[in-house]
């Protein structure tokens, strides 16, 4: 009687049908009446969700591999000087070779008669060619040939400038002495490096070369 009265009071005061159903179910449980079969109960169906990459609850940044530290290339002062002067010597050797060829062509264009002894002019090309190869492979012997060639040309240019005392000859003499100084510095610093260290310098790829022209 008490439960029946409680049920009536609960049904009267609850505005929703779900509340009445819950009260009826509670009353049946108190009386020992079994619940309705599972077929009569509503079936809740889940919706499958595709899992994304990674672990649920973890940030993506944590899944990324840690940055790999690349060791910096450590060079001493002599190795840095060699790399800084290498391109300058190569450029000057190339310009020296071009200017030598143009001078030989100009001499023959001026009406000079052919003479077998004039083949000695080709010796003037030996120095620039050795400078190109020597600077590219850090070969000190070939660079020495280029330095001697520059020194001979510097003596000739200075002597001619003092003899004529023209502005252009003085400028050319100054330019040739400048090139000789660059080549001689490169040759001197190469002497401070062993062949093994020169090979290691040639293999350096991540060094920011500071080209030097003085």
């Amino acid at each position: 009687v008490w439960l029946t009265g409680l049920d009536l009071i609960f049904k009267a005061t609850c505005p929703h049908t779900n509340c009445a159903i819950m009260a009826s179910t509670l009353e049946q449980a108190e009386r020992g009446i079994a619940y309705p079969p599972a077929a009569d109960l509503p079936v809740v169906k889940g919706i499958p969700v595709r899992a994304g990459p990674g672990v649920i609850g973890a940030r993506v940044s944590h899944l990324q591999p840690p940055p790999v530290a690349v060791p910096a290339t450590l060079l001493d002062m002599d190795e840095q000087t060699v790399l800084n002067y290498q391109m300058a010597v190569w450029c000057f050797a190339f310009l020296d070779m071009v200017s030598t060829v143009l001078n030989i062509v100009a001499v023959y264009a001026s009406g000079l008669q052919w003479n077998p002894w004039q083949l000695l002019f080709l010796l003037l090309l030996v120095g620039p060619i050795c400078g190109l190869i020597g600077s590219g492979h850090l070969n000190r012997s070939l660079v020495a040939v280029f330095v001697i060639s520059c020194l001979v040309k510097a003596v000739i240019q200075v002597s001619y400038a003092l003899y004529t005392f023209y502005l252009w000859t003085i400028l050319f003499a100054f330019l040739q002495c400048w090139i000789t100084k660059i080549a001689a510095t490169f040759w001197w610093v190469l002497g401070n490096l062993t062949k093994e260290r020169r090979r290691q310098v040639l293999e350096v790829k991540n060094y920011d070369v500071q080209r030097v022209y003085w």
Side-chain angles (χ1 to χ4, degrees):
V1 176
W2 179 80
L3 290 176
T4 304
L6 181 61
D7 184 20
L8 293 175
I9 295 173
F10 193 81
K11 290 181 179 180
T13 57
C14 184
H16 301 287
T17 306
N18 291 337
C19 295
I21 295 174
M22 292 176 61
S24 176
T25 304
L26 180 61
E27 180 183 354
Q28 293 177 4
E30 291 290 338
R31 294 179 180 180
I33 302 175
Y35 288 100
D40 297 337
L41 297 177
V43 179
V44 179
K45 296 182 178 181
I47 301 175
V49 179
R50 184 183 299 274
V55 180
I56 298 177
R59 292 185 297 177
V60 178
S61 60
H62 289 175
L63 301 178
Q64 297 177 353
V68 180
V70 179
T73 302
L74 300 179
L75 301 176
D76 58 18
M77 187 60 65
D78 292 334
E79 293 172 346
Q80 294 178 18
T81 304
V82 166
L83 288 177
N84 294 338
Y85 275 86
Q86 181 183 21
M87 182 56 66
V89 173
W90 190 93
C91 292
F92 287 140
F94 179 78
L95 293 177
D96 191 6
M97 182 180 65
V98 173
S99 64
T100 301
V101 172
L102 292 178
N103 287 331
I104 294 175
V105 172
V107 168
Y108 283 107
S110 63
L112 182 66
Q113 299 297 324
W114 168 253
N115 191 314
W117 290 101
Q118 295 171 2
L119 292 175
L120 295 177
F121 287 159
L122 298 178
L123 294 177
L124 299 176
L125 295 175
V126 175
I129 293 176
C130 290
L132 288 173
I133 300 175
S135 61
H137 295 81
L138 301 184
N139 189 312
R140 192 166 185 255
S141 300
L142 295 179
V143 174
V145 176
F146 178 59
V147 172
I148 294 174
S149 174
C150 291
L151 185 60
V152 172
K153 291 181 180 180
V155 172
I156 295 175
Q157 290 286 353
V158 170
S159 301
Y160 188 66
L162 294 177
Y163 178 75
T164 60
F165 211 73
Y166 291 148
L167 177 61
W168 289 109
T169 57
I170 296 175
L171 291 178
F172 280 125
F174 177 78
L175 178 61
Q176 188 61 48
C177 292
W178 177 40
I179 295 176
T180 305
K181 183 264 178 186
I182 296 294
T185 302
F186 182 65
W187 171 80
W188 180 266
V189 178
L190 277 179
N192 298 331
L193 302 180
T194 62
K195 292 183 179 180
E196 180 64 22
R197 291 175 63 189
R198 296 176 200 168
R199 185 186 62 81
Q200 294 176 358
V201 170
L202 288 175
E203 295 176 355
V204 173
K205 302 298 182 183
N206 58 346
Y207 175 73
D208 188 13
V209 177
Q210 304 293 330
R211 295 181 178 87
V212 180
Y213 297 99
W214 60 85

